Amino acid sequence: MKTLVLTACVLSGGAGGAWAETTAKTEDHASGISIELSAAEDVGATCKLSFVVTNGHDGDIDQAVYETVLFDAAGQGSRLTLLDFQGLPARRLRVRQFQFPQACSDISRVLINGAETCGAPGLDDGACSQGLTLISRTGMELLG
């Protein structure tokens, strides 16, 4: 198993990141990557964000790291971090969870600035950014 890159060093000022993974086959394939912010849950004094990620490409992506900005309730950028979604097999779903040292009510928007790292042998340059689809099923906006 690969070493997790999201750690306290990318979460400025506090607690470390938490990560979880589940896998499922997907029947509906879009081209590109789809990132869905599916849940936001307060866990003690932290906010756990759950993302459902689908790699709609025909090839696997070895590593997908996205530069991400969290905005506070006042709409100000409050945290710049890297979210490491790790390996994304072709045509499959992955669920990734990240914890941040703040309440979910203190996060109004999540901005995906772009792919910081995209290990996608055999795929076009920009495979992690081109055709990127962003969806939120929470009260938070997910923007790109």
Side-chain angles (χ1 to χ4, degrees):
M1 181 172 194
K2 292 183 181 179
T3 303
L4 181 63
V5 172
L6 179 67
T7 61
C9 67
V10 295
L11 293 175
S12 62
W19 168 83
E21 170 184 357
T22 59
T23 307
K25 276 192 170 181
T26 179
E27 300 301 323
D28 184 23
H29 310 303
S31 62
I33 293 179
S34 172
I35 299 175
E36 173 188 304
L37 176 55
S38 64
E41 175 186 5
D42 285 310
V43 178
T46 68
C47 180
K48 179 172 64 175
L49 298 182
S50 299
F51 294 88
V52 176
V53 185
T54 305
N55 173 6
H57 293 290
D58 290 328
D60 293 347
I61 294 175
D62 293 337
Q63 185 178 31
V65 179
Y66 288 91
E67 183 180 89
T68 306
V69 180
L70 303 181
F71 290 83
D72 63 20
Q76 300 295 313
S78 64
R79 187 172 309 277
L80 174 66
T81 189
L82 298 175
L83 299 183
D84 184 354
F85 290 96
Q86 296 196 339
L88 301 174
R91 308 286 181 193
R92 295 188 60 91
L93 295 175
R94 288 288 192 251
V95 174
R96 300 287 194 251
Q97 296 178 322
F98 303 95
Q99 269 183 254
F100 300 95
Q102 63 196 91
C104 291
S105 61
D106 291 338
I107 303 172
S108 62
R109 294 183 290 170
V110 178
L111 171 66
I112 305 290
N113 272 342
E116 177 74 19
T117 302
C118 184
L123 295 177
D124 293 335
D125 289 343
C128 292
S129 297
Q130 295 172 350
L132 180 64
T133 303
L134 302 171
I135 302 163
S136 178
R137 298 197 186 281
T138 71
M140 295 175 201
E141 289 182 85
L142 181 60
L143 309 166

